[in-house]
Amino acid sequence: MFEVLVYLYETYYRPDACPEPEALVKKLSAIGFEEDEISKALGWLTDLAETNHAYADRYPQQTAFSFGMRIYAPQEMDALGTAAIGFVQFLESAKMLNPVQREIVIERALAVSESPVSLDKLKVIVLMVLWSQGKEPDGLMFDELFLDDDEDPEPRLLH
């Protein structure tokens, strides 16, 4: 599923630049993606679009400027893992994600059938959330999202 998501990000500048679902499925199949992976990816993206819409309707604009602290439920901690939670906190403290985007990232990460979510997959989730909102990551965020963990031996600081 994640390979399909990365392909879509790299191929289409915005989600609305993607072909209609039937044509997209044919194109992805022709490239060599498995039908099951295509179906999972497109379903995940459909749910992401619904989540974006629901959060935009549910939360007023000032929520994006909240300074509150996010407390994770035990089930979220188990499903996400400490590496994913730490990375989300890092992105938020560096102002690369706002609180609404953070919640969407968490919701979409919980929808993945992997526990805990690997850091590489979480990075793709963050990228897809921003892509779905028409936001382009700045240079620093792009480096963070594509930095190989083997290349970064020093721990990240939140301050």
Side-chain angles (χ1 to χ4, degrees), residues 122-137:
L122 182 74
K123 290 176 180 183
V124 172
I125 292 168
V126 170
L127 194 61
M128 295 310 293
V129 167
L130 295 173
W131 180 74
S132 72
Q133 296 176 351
K135 308 254 189 313
E136 182 141 347

Side-chain angles (χ1 to χ4, degrees), residues 24-91:
L24 183 58
V25 168
K26 287 179 184 176
K27 184 172 186 166
L28 293 171
S29 293
I31 293 169
F33 290 112
E34 298 289 324
E35 186 177 327
D36 183 47
E37 294 300 308
I38 295 169
S39 177
K40 285 180 186 176
L42 296 182
W44 190 90
L45 283 173
T46 299
D47 292 344
L48 173 58
E50 291 171 5
T51 300
N52 277 329
H53 184 68
Y55 274 79
D57 289 346
R58 194 177 326 158
Y59 296 102
Q61 187 63 21
Q62 69 263 26
T63 305
F65 304 103
S66 169
F67 297 104
M69 176 185 244
R70 173 65 152 88
I71 305 296
Y72 291 83
Q75 299 87 345
E76 291 173 326
M77 293 181 74
D78 291 342
L80 296 172
T82 56
I85 290 172
F87 188 69
V88 169
Q89 288 176 332
F90 166 75
L91 291 176

